Amino acid sequence: MNSISIPKHNWDSSLYQNKHAFVWQYGEDLLQLLNPKAGELILDLGCGTGQLTEKIAQTGAKVMGIDSAATMIEKARQNYPHIRFDVADAKNFQVEQPLDAVFSNAVLHWVKEADKAIACIHQALKPGGRIVAEFGGKGNIQVLSQALFSAMESIGISQPQTLNPWYFPSIGEYATLLEQQGFEVIYATLFARPTPLAEKEAGIANWIKMFAGAFLVGMTAEQKIQVIRNVEECLKPTLYQDGTWIADYRRIRILAIKV
Ligand code: BEZ
């Protein structure tokens, strides 16, 4: 594996592993779509702290994980020393041997240059190999991000959406990108998956700190508190139910074959 990575996001891997376990817990379901077989060569693209990589390994497949964040890879190696994990960028990686499958959970919405990631995935697969992926799709966290933008505007930050680090495509958009690069899309779906956040009261604040840090860069500590409070107030009537925050996630799931 060529690991060429300049991590842009300072991921706190302990916070991720301990307080955001829902990210890979929901991803377990996606493993059924991957349907890994013993002996298959599989790459977990954006493996985080490695929990799903380990589930794939348990099927007897030969799996390795890559992630652009060195902190995540360090934790993944500690968690599962028997699995190979490398730091590498989804937009710029190569593998030593052609793969049967690339698996990716909750990562591709961070990759705005989707065509580059798709080109790498295509190159990494054997003919007939598959990509199985889930990520945020069109309309993902729309209510949440609108509240965040409004809160930022209320403290004088204009056009906060220009700081947006996410890419939430429609099925049509993503399937077209895959087809343009030589994939046949076998299955694609977009569905709402309201997602309860851990940490009860602090759920939204923690989510913003973990995943929406790009918007907070340059704010004073006081401004951050003010923005988060403002988001909480705005969202309480819609996204706070029985003491739990529910994020308005919408997921894309895709299975495509390299032709
Ligand atoms: C998601 O899983 O949909 C997501 C996570 C963090 C930021 C944006 C979206």
Side-chain angles (χ1 to χ4, degrees):
M1 172 70 49
N2 271 353
S3 61
I4 315 123
S5 167
I6 306 146
K8 292 194 191 86
H9 190 120
N10 255 346
W11 288 103
D12 180 336
S13 59
S14 298
L15 190 64
Y16 173 83
Q17 177 167 275
N18 299 332
K19 306 271 188 249
H20 299 88
F22 67 85
V23 176
W24 71 81
Q25 284 163 354
Y26 276 111
E28 287 189 30
D29 205 30
L30 188 65
L31 292 174
Q32 287 171 20
L33 191 59
L34 175 66
N35 191 18
K37 313 256 182 352
E40 281 192 319
L41 279 181
I42 300 181
L43 174 71
D44 183 358
L45 176 64
C47 59
T49 45
Q51 280 73 15
L52 293 178
T53 330
E54 163 65 5
K55 295 262 176 208
I56 296 170
Q58 283 170 4
T59 67
K62 293 180 198 145
V63 66
M64 69 168 295
I66 60 170
D67 201 289
S68 66
T71 49
M72 293 291 191
I73 290 298
E74 198 184 327
K75 188 69 100 193
R77 286 177 180 154
Q78 280 166 15
N79 287 341
Y80 310 107
H82 54 287
I83 297 178
R84 178 169 170 192
F85 291 101
D86 283 347
V87 177
D89 187 335
K91 304 183 297 301
N92 188 4
F93 70 90
Q94 288 164 5
V95 292
E96 286 152 10
Q97 263 184 289
L99 305 170
D100 294 293
V102 172
F103 173 83
S104 182
N105 177 54
V107 170
L108 293 174
H109 49 246
W110 294 102
V111 185
K112 284 187 156 178
E113 293 170 287
D115 52 337
K116 290 192 180 163
I118 292 170
C120 286
I121 294 166
H122 189 268
Q123 203 207 22
L125 287 169
K126 294 175 183 168
R130 61 201 188 279
I131 160 83
V132 172
E134 176 173 323
F135 49 99
K138 195 170 173 68
N140 194 36
I141 53 164
Q142 194 149 293
V143 175
L144 205 168
S145 44
Q146 266 316 318
L148 182 59
F149 297 160
S150 303
M152 290 169 71
E153 280 162 358
S154 77
I155 61 159
I157 298 171
S158 65
Q159 299 195 303
Q161 58 281 6
T162 58
L163 300 170
N164 191 344
W166 307 312
Y167 171 57
F168 300 137
S170 67
I171 289 180
E173 253 172 279
Y174 215 84
T176 302
L177 291 177
L178 286 163
E179 285 172 0
Q180 280 168 348
Q181 299 217 37
F183 282 97
E184 187 173 16
V185 180
I186 299 296
Y187 172 84
T189 182
L190 174 69
F191 59 99
R193 197 199 65 206
T195 300
L197 303 178
E199 293 296 286
K200 299 288 173 190
E201 273 281 298
I204 271 290
N206 283 344
W207 188 94
I208 292 172
K209 287 178 206 155
M210 182 83 208
F211 296 117
F215 296 98
L216 305 180
V217 172
M219 285 186 205
T220 64
E222 240 171 55
Q223 283 176 320
K224 287 179 193 170
I225 291 169
Q226 199 179 334
V227 163
I228 289 170
R229 282 221 187 104
N230 193 324
V231 171
E232 287 175 336
E233 268 167 36
C234 169
L235 294 180
K236 211 149 206 178
T238 45
L239 299 188
Y240 193 61
Q241 289 157 25
D242 303 323
T244 299
W245 288 98
I246 316 275
D248 55 328
Y249 277 17
R250 275 162 71 86
R251 322 307 289 166
I252 277 192
R253 272 187 182 190
I254 275 188
L255 165 57
I257 308 285
K258 173 171 172 170
V259 281

